[in-house]
Amino acid sequence: MNERTPILVAGGAGYIGSHTCLRLHEAGFLPIVYDNLSNGWESFVQWGPLEVGDINDAARLDAVLARHKPAAIIHFAAFIEVGFSVAEPGAFYANNVGGTITLFEAARRAGIDKLVFSSTCATYGAPVYVPMDEKHPQAPLNPYGRSKLMVEQILADLDQYKAFRSVVLRYFNAAGADPEGRIGEKHEPETHAIPLAIAAARGERDAFTLFGSDYDTRDGTCVRDYIHVLDLADAHVLALKWLLDGGESTAFNLGTGEGTTVRELVGAIERRSNTPFPLIPAERRAGDAPSLVANNDKARTGLGWSPRYDLQEIIDHAWAWHANGALALKR
Ligand SMILES: NC(=O)c1ccc[n+]([C@@H]2O[C@H](COP(=O)([O-])OP(=O)(O)OC[C@H]3O[C@@H](n4cnc5c(N)ncnc54)[C@H](O)[C@@H]3O)[C@@H](O)[C@H]2O)c1
């Protein structure tokens, strides 16, 4: 039997990282999860070993990389909450940029020169045109988006001066869950629309807050591009293979290309639950763009990737996970 190629997955106990570990396992790789469990779940680590550690801890990284000798790194580990990035920009940059540099330097000391990085459509900022392709100007609206753009810029320098190759994946809105219910979305605090709306539909929250209903969109609410987390996971495996096959450093948008308004999302969840739930209209949130939709042509042609799941499947899988998995998870 062939040995599985080890891949270090920083942040692999989190939402998108754990689904990527599932797909890495199915593709014949051995995911080595490196996570400090600040926002991840030990029970999400099911397809390879867990090394508890912080990306800010150079000595721990050196030891783990020496033990497992991964062929490449997939880097998800970060703070992800925009509100926290505004409240505590220093702590946010220290983790997302400082910790990331520590990880990159440990990788280079270990002789690893390939990395897939979790970036975001938030690096684009306010849309100049929609759908947005990879050439769209990058002018992030908050420290979260800026922390990701800074890492993209560092990766460009590492490529140019140190032959360290990377694929930057800019996700739109990750959503859904493993259809078999083994893993799913649970953030603390939860700020993502689908789990919040599902909690409202199930009566676990009093209502769903609608931030802004006067945008210049088809029903006045924000338009977002919801992409199934397993479609994202598939793209990570393809990006990894791209690097292992000698592909050059590049960036890909990962979204479906279909926009859904918040009201449409609420309607779809109400249909799934058979119960309308209360909406609380609220002011626009600072920094929320009216419409964020991906042009995914580059990932389709470059990686041979295409999303498999539609919005109804995203909601069905998220609903099933919420009812059976998320509520059982306790810190
Ligand atoms: N969820 C989305 O819609 C979305 C969209 C765009 C980009 N992203 C990016 O994707 C990545 C994963 O997002 P997610 O939704 O799975 O978040 P998540 O919080 O579920 O996963 C992040 C993981 O990183 C770990 N982590 C954080 N800081 C660490 C540190 N210093 N050392 C070690 N581990 C650390 C956490 O414990 C957690 O398990 C993030 O980088 C995020 O910015 C997410």
Side-chain angles (χ1 to χ4, degrees), residues 11 13-17 35-40 53-56 76-78 80 95 118-120 144 148 171-174 187 192:
Y15 172 45
I16 306 170
D35 200 300
N36 66 2
L37 300 178
S38 58
N39 201 28
D54 198 294
I55 55 169
N56 295 282
F76 296 96
I80 65 164
N95 200 39
S118 292
S119 192
T120 165
Y144 169 66
K148 295 288 178 176
Y171 321 151
F172 282 64
N173 283 57
H187 295 108
H192 292 129

Side-chain angles (χ1 to χ4, degrees), residues 14-16 18-19 41 44 176-178 181-186 229 321 326 329:
Y15 172 45
I16 306 170
S18 59
H19 288 81
W41 304 92
F44 281 13
D178 166 32
R182 293 164 288 189
I183 46 179
E185 181 167 21
K186 179 150 173 162
V229 64
W321 158 254
L329 281 179

Side-chain angles (χ1 to χ4, degrees), residues 173 193-194 197 208-213 215 217-224 226 259-269 277 279 285 288-290 311:
N173 283 57
I194 292 180
F208 178 81
T209 308
L210 195 60
F211 292 105
S213 30
Y215 286 99
T217 59
R218 52 184 175 266
D219 63 19
T221 63
C222 286
V223 174
R224 293 291 177 269
Y226 295 95
T260 303
T261 69
V262 181
R263 275 194 201 286
E264 289 164 353
L265 186 70
V266 165
I269 292 172
F277 51 88
L279 297 183
R285 282 184 304 200
D288 263 349
L311 185 68

Side-chain angles (χ1 to χ4, degrees), residues 130-132 172 223-227 253-260 292-297 300 305 307:
V130 180
M132 302 157 109
F172 282 64
V223 174
R224 293 291 177 269
D225 182 338
Y226 295 95
I227 174 82
N253 280 346
L254 298 178
T256 62
E258 298 288 328
T260 303
L292 293 171
V293 179
N295 175 330
N296 62 16
D297 290 350
R300 285 178 182 274
W305 172 81

